[in-house]
Amino acid sequence: MKPSADRFLDVTHHVCPMTFVKTKLMIGKMSAGEIGEVRLNGGEPLENVPRSVVELGHQIVALNEEAGSPGVWRLLFKVRG
């Protein structure tokens, strides 16, 4: 069962580095243990956003392509304290 997200962000209309800037701003508003979900495009955002989330010390819970939307991905991560 997929955990439900406490916060959701759609960055499919942004390009790097704004995709991660927006994600980092969302993380800054979250508490330890919360789950964040980011909807992002493949390519550079798919490479950079998950890597940057891990570099900040958070845990990737899931990364899956969105059903019915080829090239669009859903990243679930858990904020560490």
Side-chain angles (χ1 to χ4, degrees), residues 11-61:
V11 294
T12 56
H13 299 292
H14 298 282
V15 295
C16 290
M18 287 308 296
T19 53
F20 182 65
V21 169
K22 299 266 185 193
T23 302
K24 189 172 180 181
L25 289 170
M26 180 178 77
I27 291 170
K29 297 175 183 174
M30 297 174 71
S31 300
E34 285 190 310
I35 302 289
E37 182 173 11
V38 180
R39 184 174 187 255
L40 57 129
N41 292 320
E44 198 173 2
L46 182 60
E47 293 173 22
N48 294 334
V49 174
R51 183 189 71 235
S52 298
V53 167
V54 169
E55 287 174 358
L56 287 175
H58 308 297
Q59 177 188 1
I60 301 296
V61 175

